Every structure is written in C-alpha cells, then in structure tokens.
C-alpha cells in the first residue's frame, strides 16, 4: 500500500477527529501517503479527496464533530454509486480506505471490499451499538454530556419535588440510557432491550414517594417512546405530573473526553496497521481492554448486547 484514504460517515461522534489524526499520522509514520475523503460516501462519489499532511490534523484532537465532515448518501447504496466510488478511488491512486462510522457505514465499507477495494472499519457512534467491540468512539463523551444534564435537572427536580423524564438518544440500543441511568442515579431506566412495563414503573414511583423521596428521574431511550408520550401515560394512569427534557443533539457534540481521544487514537492507528498488512473487510474494536480486529461482517449481521447487569443493578440501587 502506497496511498490510503480516510473518511467519516453516518452520525458524527466526539473522538472521530482523534481517529482521523491517528490514521493520517500513523500512515505518514509508516511512509504511506494519506488522503482525506470529505463528506463520507457522497464526497467519495463526487471525488472530494485531498492529500493530508501531519499538520492538517493538528489542533483537532480536542474538537468534537469531524474535520472531514460526514454525510448520508443514498446513491452509494446502489451498484452505480459504488462503481463511481471505486472509479474515484482508482483515479486518486488510493490502495485502501479507513471508514470511521456506524454499522451502516460498515455495510458500505464491506460493499467496497467485496468489489476488490480493501476497507477497514473504525467504530464511531455515540450509541455504543456495534457488535464485536465493547466501546465505540463517542459513547463516553455522550454519556458524560447526559450525566451533566441529569445532575442539573436533578437540582430542579429536588427543589420542586417533581418527577422528571429525560429522553436520550438510542433507537435500537439502550447503552446510553443504561449507563447514564446508573451513573445519574435514575429511579427508572427504559431501554429498547426491555419490555416496557407501565405498572412496574408506577409502582416504583409510588413506593419511592411513600418512603419520602422528594423527586424522581426517569431516563427513557428514544427507541422506547418519546418523553412526552411517556408523560401522558404516567399522568393518565397515576395522576402524577411530570416534566420532560429531550436532550437531542447536544448528546452528539462537544469536546471528546480523554477516553474517547485515547480510543480514537488507538483504533485509528490499528486500522492503518491492518490495512498496511493488505487486509480488507476488518473492523477495529476493543474487547476486554485489548484492541482487536475482526471480520467486519459481524458488526452488521450480529446483534449488539447491552450489559443487562447494569440494568439489574440500577433497579436494585434505586429503591
Ligand atoms: P451509521 O454509519 O452511523 O450507521 P447510516 O446507517 O446512515 O449511518 O449509514 C451511513 C451511510 O453508509 C449511508 O448513508 C450509506 O451511504 C452507507 N450505507 C448504509 N447501508 C449501506 C448498505 N447496505 N450498502 C451500501 N452502503 C450503505
């Protein structure tokens, strides 16, 4: 490999910049040229590809978002779109590509690999929902953002003796709600992995009140239902008035935590090593505190398992 590319795709996440920096500098360290592909697969099809020098990735390790921009691209899902992408990769003299993104981006990377162009995937998503890795880049930062919000909301919840519902991101995966709920001392956590039980939730709220709890925090992952819907259900069933906070996109931004910067650096560097061995179709991850690489297909054919021991523990502690 003489020249490799790097792109970010799908939803952005804090720490992607650390990964880009690592790919560029590790590549240069090994004597290969590195090019940045701007705006994900759309930019690839459009040929938005530029050489990256060590200095081009200076002063980004501490920034959220992605210097390479991200995009969603319908055209890339088609044969014609993928052929255009391959043409651009060849035209720009690229021999391999690092794709930083979620499972959708991995599917795209696998499609290119199957067409004979080696790609390696780096998990960048705040959802922590990629099978094969214990952590994804951005999860820790998003989690800390949610915790900060919970702590602030708790002040008001205590002052006014209210029940607050906080809706967090997570359509299919409850990791963010689960970890934030445990770390934020929430009374109830609702995640897509668990069947929603309204009676149990009301029961817990009422028990808490009886034992003198001044306030309650309910964390709901958006995949279960939206916060306002939940508020109506609680009001109808138990006549408990709640306040709703939908955290939304603040969860995706912000300066990455030290952990996400380290993960981004480790994963980006490993991706280059794997690519330089000439291997495509691999995904980078962390398993039991070790950086690993594995068959990328696993990331979108298998199911991500949330750590349900956190769920059980949270229930035990929030009595
Ligand atoms: P994420 O990578 O965060 O999961 P998406 O699911 O939106 O985000 O995927 C990002 C992009 O990856 C899509 O816009 C599309 O260009 C590409 N992609 C997703 N699924 C496929 C697929 N099955 N085949 C080819 N490309 C895909």
């Amino acid at each position: 490999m003489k020249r490799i590319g790097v792109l970010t795709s799908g939803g952005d996440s804090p720490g992607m910049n650390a990964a880009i920096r690592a790919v560029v500098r590790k590549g240069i360290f090994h004597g290969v040229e590195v090019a940045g592909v701007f705006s994900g697969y759309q930019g690839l099809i459009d040929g938005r590809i530029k050489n990256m020098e060590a200095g081009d990735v200076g002063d980004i390790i501490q920034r959220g978002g992605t210097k390479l921009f991200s995009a969603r691209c319908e055209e890339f899902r088609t044969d014609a779109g993928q052929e255009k992408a391959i043409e651009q990769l060849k035209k720009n003299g690229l021999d391999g590509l690092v794709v930083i993104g979620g499972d959708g981006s991995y599917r795209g990377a696998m499609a290119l690999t199957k067409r004979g162009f080696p790609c390696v995937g780096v998990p960048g998503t705040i959802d922590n929902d990629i099978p094969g890795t214990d952590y994804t880049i951005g999860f820790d930062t998003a989690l800390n953002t949610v915790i900060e919000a919970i702590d602030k909301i708790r002040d008001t919840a205590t002052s006014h003796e209210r029940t607050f519902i906080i809706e967090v991101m997570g359509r299919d995966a409850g990791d963010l709600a689960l970890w934030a709920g445990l770390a934020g001392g929430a009374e109830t956590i609702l995640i897509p992995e668990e069947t929603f039980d309204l009676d149990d939730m009301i029961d817990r709220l009422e028990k808490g009140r009886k034992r003198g709890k001044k306030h309650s925090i309910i964390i709901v992952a958006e995949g279960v239902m939206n916060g306002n819907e939940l508020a109506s259900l609680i009001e109808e069933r138990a006549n408990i008035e709640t306040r709703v906070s939908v955290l939304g996109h603040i969860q995706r931004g912000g300066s990455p935590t030290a952990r996400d910067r380290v993960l981004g650096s480790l994963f980006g560097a490993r991706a280059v090593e794997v690519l330089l061995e000439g291997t495509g179709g691999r995904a980078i991850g962390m398993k039991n505190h070790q950086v690993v690489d594995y068959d990328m297909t696993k990331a979108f054919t298998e199911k991500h398992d949330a750590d349900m021991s956190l769920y059980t523990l949270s229930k035990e502690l929030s009595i």
Side-chain angles (χ1 to χ4, degrees):
M1 295 236 170
K2 293 204 170 62
R3 187 167 150 84
I4 60 171
V6 53
L7 64 76
T8 48
S9 164
D12 68 334
S13 68
M16 279 184 162
N17 277 327
I20 295 167
R21 172 180 177 270
V23 171
V24 171
R25 294 199 174 164
K26 184 80 170 167
I28 293 170
F29 176 80
H30 286 296
V32 293
E33 284 179 10
V34 186
V37 180
F38 287 77
S39 303
Y41 294 124
Q42 187 61 57
L44 179 56
I45 289 174
D46 298 341
R48 294 182 56 203
I49 300 170
K50 282 188 205 143
N51 262 357
M52 305 277 279
E53 304 298 340
D56 293 325
V57 288
D59 200 28
I60 64 169
I61 197 166
Q62 78 281 22
R63 295 185 203 284
T66 157
K67 187 185 168 86
L68 291 175
F69 305 112
S70 191
R72 296 208 157 84
C73 173
E74 282 309 308
E75 190 183 357
F76 186 73
R77 293 173 188 269
T78 66
D79 282 340
Q82 289 168 19
E83 277 158 23
K84 277 192 203 167
I86 295 276
E87 261 170 48
Q88 288 291 356
L89 289 163
K90 283 190 184 147
K91 195 171 128 191
N92 283 275
L94 292 168
D95 306 310
L97 182 67
V98 177
V99 171
I100 306 167
D103 60 342
S105 303
Y106 277 19
R107 285 175 201 269
M110 203 60 211
L112 290 179
T113 303
K114 284 194 174 142
R115 287 172 186 274
F117 192 88
C119 296
V120 170
V122 168
T125 164
I126 65 162
D127 293 331
N128 206 42
D129 61 349
I130 300 196
T133 183
D134 293 338
Y135 298 105
T136 60
I137 303 168
F139 173 63
D140 187 61
T141 307
L143 177 57
N144 280 286
T145 302
V146 174
I147 292 301
E148 218 183 299
I150 294 176
D151 290 349
K152 287 177 177 160
I153 288 167
R154 182 187 288 284
D155 288 346
T156 298
T158 313
S159 305
H160 292 268
E161 303 187 24
R162 276 195 194 287
T163 298
F164 264 83
I165 295 170
I166 304 175
E167 182 191 313
V168 304
M169 283 186 174
R171 265 189 220 111
D172 306 307
D175 282 53
L176 201 51
L178 204 49
W179 285 66
L182 182 60
E187 273 65 30
T188 302
I189 304 172
L190 303 177
I191 52 173
E193 289 85 349
E194 267 293 308
T195 317
F196 174 56
D197 184 344
L198 181 62
D199 292 331
D200 176 60
M201 190 182 69
I202 302 284
D203 194 43
R204 291 169 64 81
L205 279 177
E206 281 173 348
K207 271 196 191 131
R209 285 191 159 197
K210 277 193 196 123
R211 97 159 164 76
K213 270 197 184 184
K214 296 281 182 224
H215 61 265
S216 283
I217 303 277
I218 299 170
I219 306 291
V220 57
E222 63 185 336
V224 177
M225 71 180 77
N226 76 50
N228 289 312
E229 229 178 296
L230 182 62
S232 308
L233 282 178
I234 296 174
E235 184 144 13
E236 270 166 35
R237 177 65 67 91
N239 200 24
I240 298 174
E241 201 190 339
T242 57
R243 290 284 183 272
V244 180
S245 267
V246 181
L247 299 188
H249 278 83
I250 65 159
Q251 295 163 93
R252 287 251 292 267
S255 177
T257 57
R259 195 179 162 77
D260 277 331
R261 297 180 201 192
V262 170
L263 267 193
S265 304
L266 286 170
F267 287 178
R270 178 64 168 263
V272 171
E273 282 169 0
V274 171
L275 209 49
L276 293 188
E277 284 161 11
T279 326
R282 306 291 289 170
I284 311 300
M286 181 162 281
K287 270 280 161 197
N288 304 319
H289 307 288
Q290 297 293 320
V291 180
V292 294
D293 62 272
Y294 58 96
D295 181 359
M296 195 194 284
T297 316
K298 178 184 169 82
F300 50 85
T301 51
E302 292 184 12
K303 215 177 121 309
H304 162 72
D305 291 318
D307 183 352
M308 294 307 285
S309 70
L310 299 186
Y311 184 78
T312 311
L313 179 61
S314 167
K315 274 200 151 180
E316 288 166 1
L317 301 185
S318 64
I319 43 176

